[in-house]
C-alpha cells in the first residue's frame, strides 16, 4: 500500500489526499491501488456520506507516473491482467456516493478526467487542467472521449483533447468542469463544507437523485472499455514510445 495517498475521515466525509508532492503527485500503481481501496471502503462504510479528493502543496497531480506506468502496463499486458490505473478508473466511474474534488496547480491527464466523474469540483486560480493524451501518442481515457464533448461541446472538447490545450480555473468554470474558483487559502475548507453538506442530506434521496443525474451508466462503461482497448494498443506504438522516452530523457536531465 502506498504512503503517498493519505486517507482520513472528518465527520461523515472521507478525505483522500494525494501526497507525493516532490513528484508533483504523479500516480504510481501502488497509489492507484490505495485509491481504489479507499473508494471501495468509503462506498461500503455506511457512516461515510461523501468523498473529498485533493492534492497537496499546491499541486493536484501530474497524472500517471510515466516510468511506473509504462512498466505496469507492460507487465499487465504480459500477464494478461488489468493495470492498477485501469482498475481505478472503473472504480471511479462506478463510485456510488458524492464525490468532490479540490484542485490546485497542475491536474494532468487523469487529474482532469477524474473531474468529469465528480459531483462538485472547486479549483484555485492556480489550477491548470490538461489532457495531453494525443501529444503522448495515446487516446483519451476514463470516459473523457464521451464526457468532454457532452460537457464542453465538440468545439471545446477538440481543443482540450485533440490539440491538448491546457486551460485554467476560470476557463474550466466556463466549460462547466468546475463549480467555483476559490482562493487557494480558502479552497480546502470550502470543498470540505460542500462535501459535508452533501453528506448531511437525506442519504437515500441523494443517492437516487445522483443516479438520475448520471443516467444509464452502460454507454459510459462501454466507451471506457473501447478507450482502454485503444489506449493499451497505442501504448505499444512507436508514437507513444517516442513521447515517453522524450519525457524520461528530460527527467534524467
Ligand atoms: N511521471 C513521473 N515523474 C513526474 C511526472 C510524471 N508524470 N511529472 C513530474 N514528475 C517529476 C519530474 O520528473 C521531477 O522529478 P525530479 O525532481 O526527480 O527531477 C518532479 O516530478 C518535478 O517535476 P517538474 O517537471 O520539475 O515540475 P514543474 O512544476 O516544472 O512541472 C508539470 C509540473 C506537471 C507541468 C510537469 O512535471 C509535467 O508536465 N509532467 C508530465 C505530465 C504528463 O505528461 N503526465 C502524463 C499524463 S498521462
Amino acid at each position: 500500500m502506498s504512503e503517498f495517498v493519505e486517507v482520513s475521515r472528518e465527520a461523515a466525509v472521507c478525505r483522500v489526499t494525494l501526497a507525493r508532492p516532490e513528484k508533483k503527485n504523479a500516480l504510481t500503481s501502488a497509489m492507484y491501488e490505495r485509491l481504489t481501496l479507499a473508494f471501495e471502503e468509503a462506498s461500503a462504510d455506511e457512516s461515510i456520506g461523501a468523498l473529498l479528493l485533493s492534492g497537496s502543496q499546491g499541486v493536484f497531480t501530474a497524472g500517471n507516473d510515466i516510468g511506473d506506468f509504462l512498466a505496469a502496463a507492460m507487465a499487465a499486458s504480459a500477464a494478461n491482467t488489468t493495470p492498477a490505473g485501469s482498475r481505478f478508473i472503473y472504480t471511479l466511474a462506478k463510485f456510488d456516493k458524492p464525490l468532490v474534488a479540490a484542485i490546485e496547480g497542475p491536474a494532468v491527464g487523469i487529474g482532469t478526467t477524474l473531474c468529469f466523474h465528480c459531483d462538485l469540483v472547486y479549483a484555485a486560480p492556480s489550477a491548470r487542467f490538461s489532457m495531453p493524451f494525443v501529444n503522448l501518442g495515446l487516446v483519451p481515457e476514463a470516459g473523457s472521449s464521451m464526457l468532454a464533448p457532452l460537457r464542453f461541446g465538440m468545439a471545446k472538447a477538440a481543443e482540450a483533447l485533440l490539440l491538448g490545450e491546457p486551460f485554467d480555473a476560470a476557463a474550466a468554470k466556463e466549460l462547466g468542469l468546475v463549480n467555483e474558483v476559490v482562493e487557494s487559502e480558502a479552497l480546502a475548507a470550502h470543498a470540505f463544507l460542500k462535501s459535508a453538506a452533501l453528506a448531511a442530506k437525506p442519504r437515500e434521496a441523494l443517492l437516487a437523485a445522483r443516479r438520475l443525474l448520471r443516467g444509464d451508466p452502460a454507454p459510459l462503461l462501454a466507451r471506457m472499455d473501447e478507450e482502454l482497448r485503444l489506449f493499451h494498443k497505442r501504448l505499444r506504438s512507436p508514437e507513444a514510445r517516442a513521447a515517453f522516452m522524450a519525457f524520461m530523457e528530460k527527467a534524467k536531465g
Side-chain angles (χ1 to χ4, degrees), residues 5 7 11 14-15 18 43 54 62 76 98 101 111 114 117 143 152 157 170 194 217 219 226 233-234 246:
V5 176
V7 182
C14 173
R15 285 182 186 273
L18 305 176
S43 173
S54 57
L114 70 77
H117 298 273
F152 299 173
K194 296 290 182 181
E226 178 62 2
K233 193 168 160 205
R234 295 293 320 153

Side-chain angles (χ1 to χ4, degrees), residues 48-113:
I48 293 291
L51 190 149
L52 170 59
L53 190 56
S54 57
S56 49
Q57 296 189 23
V59 177
F60 188 56
T61 175
N64 289 313
D65 179 301
I66 291 178
D68 179 272
F69 174 69
L70 280 180
M74 295 310 152
S77 162
N80 207 14
T81 55
T82 311
S86 307
R87 286 200 300 277
F88 171 67
I89 59 176
Y90 283 97
T91 304
L92 173 72
K94 292 177 184 171
F95 189 59
D96 57 359
K97 288 188 178 170
L99 182 57
V100 180
I103 314 275
E104 281 187 275
V108 185
I110 181 76
T112 294
T113 59

Side-chain angles (χ1 to χ4, degrees), residues 73-74 77 229 231-241:
M74 295 310 152
S77 162
R229 192 182 66 75
F231 193 96
H232 286 283
K233 193 168 160 205
R234 295 293 320 153
L235 261 183
R236 293 188 291 274
S237 69
E239 289 175 346
R241 277 169 197 266

Side-chain angles (χ1 to χ4, degrees), residues 30-56:
M31 290 168 76
Y32 277 124
E33 276 168 23
R34 183 68 191 97
L35 283 169
T36 301
L37 185 66
F39 276 60
E40 285 170 355
E41 286 177 349
S43 173
D45 184 342
E46 285 186 7
S47 67
I48 293 291
L51 190 149
L52 170 59
L53 190 56
S54 57
S56 49

